[in-house]
């Protein structure tokens, strides 16, 4: 039979474990929805980019025909924007994965601390 202090300590441990699981679940859902939103933004921008690029009129620059001639056609602007958005999406996913890994490590450390204190 457990003493009163042992029951209180076990109850506190269970409450902390439930709170950790809720926090992890909430953070995972938040991060997954953020990744999905970034991906939807990227897809939406890539679908809208041909129409936007067609409306952009390149100016007539006399004497500068060779300056940045790779971007002269106007279609390259869409590719540049989509490339930058894809890069930003990659950065966001990397940061989110790093945060998930860090939270898992913190949870493991908390479990180890509770295991050590619970054994005392």
């Amino acid at each position: 039979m457990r003493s009163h202090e042992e029951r209180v300590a076990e109850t506190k441990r269970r409450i902390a474990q439930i709170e950790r699981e809720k926090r992890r679940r909430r953070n995972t859902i938040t991060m997954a929805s953020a990744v999905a939103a970034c991906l939807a933004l990227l897809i939406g921008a890539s679908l809208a980019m041909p129409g936007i690029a067609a409306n952009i009129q390149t100016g007539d620059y006399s004497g500068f025909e060779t300056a940045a001639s790779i971007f002269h056609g106007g279609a390259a602007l869409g590719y540049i924007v989509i490339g930058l958005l894809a890069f930003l999406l990659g950065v966001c996913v990397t940061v989110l994965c790093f945060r998930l890994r860090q939270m898992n490590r913190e949870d493991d450390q908390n479990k180890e601390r509770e295991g050590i204190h619970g054994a005392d």
Side-chain angles (χ1 to χ4, degrees):
M1 191 149 156
R2 293 183 177 180
S3 69
H4 179 69
E5 290 83 18
E6 290 173 339
R7 286 186 292 212
V8 169
E10 181 65 22
T11 303
K12 287 181 180 179
R13 187 190 65 77
R14 286 183 197 164
I15 291 170
Q17 180 181 4
I18 290 169
E19 289 298 321
R20 272 195 314 272
E21 289 174 3
K22 283 182 183 178
R23 188 180 72 235
R24 181 187 294 162
R25 194 175 308 123
R26 184 177 53 239
N27 287 340
T28 302
I29 290 170
T30 302
M31 290 182 191
S33 61
V35 168
C38 288
L39 189 58
L41 177 69
L42 181 64
I43 291 170
S46 65
L47 292 175
M49 193 51 63
I52 294 171
N55 291 335
I56 297 174
Q57 296 179 358
T58 57
D60 291 328
Y61 300 107
S62 61
F64 296 103
E65 288 86 13
T66 60
S69 62
I70 191 170
F71 306 123
H72 180 68
L77 179 64
Y79 292 114
I80 292 169
V81 171
I82 296 302
L84 288 174
L85 287 175
F87 175 76
L88 290 175
L89 176 65
V91 169
C92 291
V93 169
T94 302
V95 169
L96 292 175
C97 290
F98 179 77
R99 291 286 314 257
L100 278 174
R101 184 173 160 203
Q102 185 178 9
M103 286 189 303
N104 287 337
R105 283 184 182 173
E106 289 173 0
D107 285 345
D108 291 343
Q109 289 174 352
N110 289 339
K111 287 179 184 178
E112 287 177 8
R113 276 191 230 126
E114 285 179 3
I116 292 171
H117 292 331
D120 291 342

